[in-house]
Amino acid sequence: MSLVIETKDLRRVYTSKTGAEVHALRGVNLRVETGAFVALKGRSGSGKTTLLNCLAGLDKPTAGLAMVLGRDVMQMSDAEATVWRREQIGLVFQSFGLLPTLSAFENIELLLRIKGDAHEARRARALECLEMVGLGKWKDHRPYEMSGGQQQRVAIARALANNAKLILADEPTGELDSKTTRELLTFFRELVEARHITMLMVSHDPLVDGYVHEVLTLKDGQVVG
Ligand code: ADP
Ligand code: MG
């Protein structure tokens, strides 16, 4: 059994504007195996986004250990974390995070350009990823010309473009109706199984239980089950 994510007693303490300490993560012990599709639930404020940000190297834990894809996230500099994230992790957000003035194709291609891929390689890869999510025909459409479900698929295609082995998704279905949510969850499940991707998905939608391999719950900054 190999682990894609392992945290030990992970803590994140913020200092609020008034100087009070906010203990967002209070000793998180998390183990996610390769190829698992895991949902992370919990009330608003329970620390879900903080945990995801710490795992992606977007935020620095205060204490504890966080191993992600074999790397000790706390030992990385910001610059190292940026490159590592770009090359190894796919991030998906509730608000899709697409650039509104760019087409679906350009949204993906831009990421590959930043990564430094050559012109032809990145064009081919962008198209391949759009086809993977069933949106090849929509490549020249801009986000506002697409449904919410389609926009989220573009965001997923972008997350996959770097051959990410781990996808971290923060409430990816939060803006979608239940029919579209079901379609997207089916797609996620197939993606995880067909491509041996590992996915940790924050959601408080009860629908997700029927699609994931495991449901974890955060409560007051700790995993309770
Ligand atoms: P969730 O995603 O589960 O809703 P968050 O991880 O966003 O929860 O927040 C967990 C706790 O940490 C909350 O009490 C929140 O107010 C606090 N928090 C999150 N980010 C910051 C920050 N940058 N500064 C201060 N407090 C924060
Ligand atoms: Mg959140």
Side-chain angles (χ1 to χ4, degrees), residues 47-111:
K48 305 180 298 295
T49 296
T50 301
L51 179 57
L52 236 53
N53 286 343
C54 287
L55 295 174
L58 287 164
D59 191 4
K60 276 263 179 278
T62 311
L65 177 75
M67 297 294 295
V68 179
L69 292 165
R71 292 287 301 266
D72 183 338
V73 176
M74 289 172 75
Q75 299 303 320
M76 279 190 251
S77 68
D78 288 351
E80 277 177 314
T82 301
V83 173
W84 171 78
R85 188 165 53 244
R86 197 157 63 212
E87 294 182 348
Q88 311 245 354
I89 294 184
L91 294 174
V92 178
F93 304 100
Q94 177 173 3
S95 54
F96 317 136
L98 300 175
L99 293 169
T101 58
L102 299 185
S103 69
F105 176 83
E106 289 164 340
N107 262 284
I108 301 169
E109 202 246 350
L110 176 66
L111 177 97

Side-chain angles (χ1 to χ4, degrees), residues 105-106 108-128:
F105 176 83
E106 289 164 340
I108 301 169
E109 202 246 350
L110 176 66
L111 177 97
L112 298 172
R113 194 185 311 180
I114 293 168
K115 207 182 135 210
D117 287 6
H119 182 79
E120 276 314 312
R122 65 183 192 243
R123 292 184 65 83
R125 181 67 184 153
L127 205 54
E128 186 189 349

